Amino acid sequence: MLLVVGVCALVLCAALSLALGSRSILLSTVVDALTGAAHGGDADVVTGLRVPRTLIGLAVGAALGVAGAVAQGVTRNPLASPVTLGINAGASLAVVAAIYALDLSRPAEYVWFAFAGAAVAAVAAYTMSRRGGDLDPVRLALGGTVLTVVLTSWASALMLASHRTLDEARFWLAGSIAGRHLDTLTPVLPFLVLGLIAAFAISPALNALALGDETAQSLGVPVARIRLVGGLAVVLLAGSAVAVSGPVAFIGLAAPHLVRTLLGNDHRWLLPGCLIAGPLLLLAADVLGRLVVQPSEIEVGIVTAFLGAPLLAVLARKVAK
């Protein structure tokens, strides 16, 4: 029942994303534009700008929400997300380095570098968190934070070294779905779908993993293989999202906790819930960013960072207890 309510809320939020902005449009006009009954003016704004923006928001939000849930599941760390594990920062550094060295200019060209950076950062965070052969959730959170700071500073240094790189990367690094076209999403869509399939395939095993490695192994769960598949899913999902929108913070952290509060800890329900909650939170933040400083806009990555920082502080305090 709650999933049905979530789907209805997501549909409403998507409708608001199509209707609201610097130029507000009646919902009846939005419907006419989508059905082809209206042309020109407002209809062009809906079909040419807001439909691609909304579809990209749905895809990016779903990827980040599920990636956060899987990251928390495989690490047994409630603070784990593509941001806190340094995965977003790794993808961002790789993209900035590619812009600096290879003169790239289109998001569709960033995808392979985003995946590579995300994978290297994930391996680095996992390696730093090992203690005596076991995964230490506290070391993982600290290592991911340190990794994020280091990689972000390197990306900043590259941008300061080249005005062209700064001009190309600064808007993308803010995290935004504005001005993106569907040809930006198309190259990453197969990887995003593959990441979702991998995540849902291991959802029952994540429940066993939550009981601890030894208990999971006694239940016949191949812990190392599940962590490998889970890590691959997170890299594919986070890399896809970052390649399209840039690094959008805290969706991957907030969505799993919101869904866990409503649906419980069973990953067979948690992942579908995050598939809904992720895009719901991202589109809500994007709509808010369009409205608060009209006729200008605030990028969605800035809105989520502003709203998500207090959440991270609350969760960190809760975990510390």
Side-chain angles (χ1 to χ4, degrees), residues 210-227:
L211 302 174
D213 288 3
E214 292 184 0
T215 302
Q217 287 174 342
S218 69
L219 294 173
V221 174
V223 173
R225 188 186 307 167
I226 294 301
R227 283 216 168 97

Side-chain angles (χ1 to χ4, degrees), residues 14 58 73 77 87 99 122 154 163 166 172 197 201 206 208 218 239 243 269 303:
L58 291 171
N77 186 341
I87 294 174
I99 294 173
W154 288 354
H163 289 296
L166 177 62
W172 179 84
I197 292 172
L206 291 178
S218 69
W269 291 102
V303 176

Side-chain angles (χ1 to χ4, degrees), residues 135-194:
L135 186 69
D136 188 327
V138 175
R139 288 168 64 93
L140 182 65
L142 293 175
T145 301
V146 171
L147 196 62
T148 297
V149 172
V150 171
L151 297 179
T152 301
S153 66
W154 288 354
S156 298
L158 285 178
M159 289 190 292
L160 290 175
S162 167
H163 289 296
R164 181 190 59 80
T165 303
L166 177 62
D167 290 338
E168 290 287 347
R170 60 183 176 180
F171 180 72
W172 179 84
L173 284 173
S176 177
I177 57 176
R180 302 290 196 268
H181 300 289
L182 290 180
D183 61 356
T184 305
L185 177 63
T186 303
V188 307
L189 198 56
F191 303 102
L192 194 155
V193 172
L194 184 60

